[in-house]
Amino acid sequence: MIDFLILRCWEKGWSGAVYRGSIVIALLAQAVSLLIYAKAFGFSRRRAVTLFILIYPFLFFWMYFITWVEFGFTSWGTKFMLRVYMWIPLIFIPYSKLLKIPYGRLCDYFAPGLALSSLFGHIACPFSGCCYGYPCSWGIYNPVLRERLFPIQWIECAASLAIFIFLVIYLRKNGYDCRGRALALFLVLFGAARFIGQFFRDNTKLFLGISELAVCAFFTFAAGAAMLLIIRRCSSQTE
């Protein structure tokens, strides 16, 4: 059934629209997450919408910019939000100061939505034939390569869903006052999941089976780990 839908979309020329639709849904998922958690974090819904409008376009701009730099100022290359996540702890610092929102609260506020948007942003990849795994007899049919491939895209979606559920429980358990730990944990868990997932992707490897995006995933993990250490040190100094 899934193979039929993928092939049908490809033959009808709908694959691009399905993929772009998933990106729109991913953006809406982040916006909805901010609206749902606005009251828990002490924000009005208008404030939630304002934060989304001010921050998310910049994240997309940063994705394009660093990709342009990476490709030697000659191409926009491939667009992956994975390139952006490692920078979020730094990006949120000026936003926190300008908007006069405690840094930790701003970080925790966005964390669940980042996991949710990653889930929806990746779910339509098999329809466009991208982000595929290695040949696999029981895998998903790839309309570009015309063979069955390991469904790493949807496994990574499942990982994002698991991270989202974990963050929802973690935030609720801690009264939505985690001092930035929710974002740090997202970066650690998401970075680890995507780093492992890259070894199941059939993409260009730089060294030792490690791809460019695996490097990005490693630094995402490292950024989260560093953030956890800094939060722990700051917490111990204030006690």
Side-chain angles (χ1 to χ4, degrees):
M1 182 61 179
I2 294 174
D3 290 344
F4 172 78
L5 290 174
I6 292 174
L7 187 58
R8 189 69 173 172
C9 285
W10 186 261
E11 290 175 345
K12 292 292 185 178
W14 298 339
S15 298
V18 171
Y19 180 77
R20 287 188 293 272
S22 73
I23 300 300
V24 172
I25 293 173
L27 289 171
L28 291 175
Q30 176 70 77
V32 170
S33 174
L34 294 179
L35 288 171
I36 290 174
Y37 284 105
K39 186 176 180 180
F41 283 90
F43 298 122
S44 65
R45 290 194 172 184
R46 177 179 291 184
R47 183 75 156 170
V49 172
T50 301
L51 289 173
F52 176 81
I53 293 173
L54 289 175
I55 293 177
Y56 234 77
F58 181 79
L59 295 182
F60 269 84
F61 162 77
W62 190 248
M63 174 185 67
Y64 278 90
F65 177 75
I66 60 178
T67 304
W68 182 54
V69 172
E70 182 180 329
F71 279 77
F73 308 101
T74 59
S75 170
W76 295 112
T78 51
K79 290 80 179 176
F80 293 100
M81 283 298 288
L82 181 56
R83 289 189 172 99
V84 175
Y85 291 140
M86 72 182 83
W87 298 97
I88 288 179
L90 295 177
I91 291 172
F92 277 9
I93 292 175
Y95 277 107
S96 171
K97 293 184 179 299
L98 289 172
L99 300 174
K100 298 180 180 180
I101 299 173
Y103 176 74
R105 181 158 56 130
L106 183 63
C107 290
D108 292 334
Y109 184 42
F110 270 81
L114 290 172
L116 200 59
S117 64
S118 175
L119 188 167
F120 288 109
H122 212 42
I123 204 167
C125 289
F127 287 87
S128 61
C130 65
C131 307
Y132 48 82
Y134 289 101
C136 177
S137 60
W138 50 268
I140 302 173
Y141 181 78
N142 186 291
V144 178
L145 301 180
R146 299 182 179 180
E147 60 178 325
R148 293 183 178 278
L149 304 175
F150 186 71
I152 185 61
Q153 306 100 318
W154 287 346
I155 290 175
E156 289 176 343
C157 287
S160 295
L161 177 60
I163 294 170
F164 170 73
I165 293 172
F166 168 78
L167 291 174
V168 168
I169 296 171
Y170 180 78
L171 284 167
R172 184 179 301 173
K173 184 178 179 181
N174 290 275
Y176 302 98
D177 184 17
C178 302
R179 301 183 181 182
R181 289 187 182 90
L183 176 63
L185 288 170
F186 164 76
L187 295 175
V188 167
L189 295 172
F190 186 81
R194 289 300 295 269
F195 181 82
I196 295 171
Q198 287 300 310
F199 288 95
F200 294 89
R201 279 198 188 186
D202 187 6
N203 52 12
T204 303
K205 309 298 181 182
L206 301 178
F207 58 92
L208 300 176
I210 296 176
S211 66
E212 173 206 347
L213 290 179
V215 174
C216 293
F218 172 79
F219 280 109
T220 299
F221 173 89
M227 195 174 174
L228 284 174
L229 289 174
I230 293 171
I231 293 171
R232 182 178 180 181
R233 180 174 296 181
C234 292
S235 297
S236 62
Q237 289 176 354
T238 56
E239 290 178 354

